[in-house]
Amino acid sequence: MNKWVKILIIAIVAIFIGLIVWYILPSRPIEDYKTRDARIKSITKMVELCASDIHEEMAIKDSVNGKWIVARQTIEGRIRFDLDSLKIEEKGDTTIIYLPPERVDIFENDSQAAYEVLDSWDSKNSIFSRTLTANEENIIKRRWQDKARKRIYERGYVAQARANAVNSLTPLFSHMRGPFGKQGPVIVIDPNPKGQPLP
């Protein structure tokens, strides 16, 4: 038998065996690396990203039913973001993540040093001065919390906290695969960079 005929027969047999093996062995499923909400939510199991803690003093001057008080109060607050509320879009091979609205929490510090009454008086009765009732004191505390929250926005604490959150989220999502299974760019956008309070 000719040498080249033998080589041709061996090659055909090898190809035939290869095809049989290819059909018999189960094929490995192609993994889909497309970004999905479920995949992203698995990353965001750290439900909240605390961006900034606040600790400072502010003066209080307020009145209820003609009873006035001037006091010094320590603000304990926290600005944080709920990562479950992230808005995520895919444009081409780019993943865009929008920072959600912030949550501003004001806490009441129970220590004696955190709250100090500097002066109090009754503008309606100077002789038999009335003291604040528990209900009136709660009204002033609620007003104080609203003023403290407004002060946090005015001093730029929220704007800084939003910038910190963007800087923290960017590396967290930087290794996320894009819509086509590739390492596409991930952009974190702050729709409210000036930190303005929501209406």
Side-chain angles (χ1 to χ4, degrees):
M1 186 181 288
N2 192 323
K3 176 183 176 183
W4 294 107
V5 174
K6 288 181 180 180
I7 294 174
L8 182 61
I9 292 173
I10 292 171
I12 292 172
V13 171
I15 292 172
F16 182 71
I17 293 172
L19 288 173
I20 292 175
V21 171
W22 185 73
Y23 276 110
I24 292 174
L25 292 177
S27 60
R28 183 181 176 185
I30 299 173
E31 292 187 41
D32 181 12
Y33 289 103
K34 186 176 185 299
T35 303
R36 296 188 181 95
D37 288 343
R39 197 175 288 271
I40 289 169
K41 284 182 180 179
S42 69
I43 298 174
T44 60
K45 285 191 177 175
M46 42 183 275
V47 179
E48 292 174 344
L49 169 69
C50 178
S52 183
D53 288 323
I54 300 161
H55 178 90
E56 73 168 70
E57 291 183 356
M58 68 176 290
I60 303 170
K61 183 178 181 181
D62 205 346
S63 68
V64 177
N65 299 326
K67 303 172 188 177
W68 284 85
I69 186 172
V70 177
R72 174 193 60 80
Q73 175 71 53
T74 300
I75 296 177
E76 299 285 351
R78 181 171 294 167
I79 304 169
R80 53 186 176 174
F81 302 90
D82 186 355
L83 296 188
D84 280 347
S85 300
L86 287 173
K87 180 184 175 184
I88 299 170
E89 289 182 356
E90 293 172 352
K91 294 184 179 179
D93 66 340
T94 303
T95 302
I96 302 174
I97 300 173
Y98 296 92
L99 189 68
E102 69 282 346
R103 179 175 165 183
V104 180
D105 296 321
I106 307 295
F107 307 109
E108 185 175 349
N109 192 321
D110 294 331
S111 66
Q112 293 182 349
Y115 181 75
E116 180 184 4
V117 177
L118 305 176
D119 195 7
S120 63
W121 66 94
D122 187 351
S123 63
K124 291 185 177 180
N125 195 337
S126 57
I127 299 176
F128 302 102
S129 181
R130 301 167 298 162
T131 58
L132 286 172
T133 64
N135 184 50
E136 290 170 338
E137 191 173 354
N138 288 332
I139 291 172
I140 289 179
K141 283 183 178 180
R142 282 196 297 270
R143 289 179 186 169
W144 165 78
Q145 287 191 339
D146 291 338
K147 290 177 182 177
R149 187 171 283 103
K150 183 179 179 182
R151 180 188 179 101
I152 287 171
Y153 279 97
E154 289 175 348
R155 295 210 163 188
Y157 296 147
V158 172
Q160 183 60 51
R162 295 188 68 84
N164 293 344
V166 170
N167 292 335
S168 298
L169 286 174
T170 299
L172 178 67
F173 290 103
S174 62
H175 300 295
M176 190 167 56
R177 289 186 180 272
F180 303 106
K182 297 180 180 179
Q183 188 69 48
V186 178
I187 302 173
V188 180
I189 294 178
D190 182 2
N192 183 18
K194 293 185 179 179
Q196 297 297 321
L198 295 177

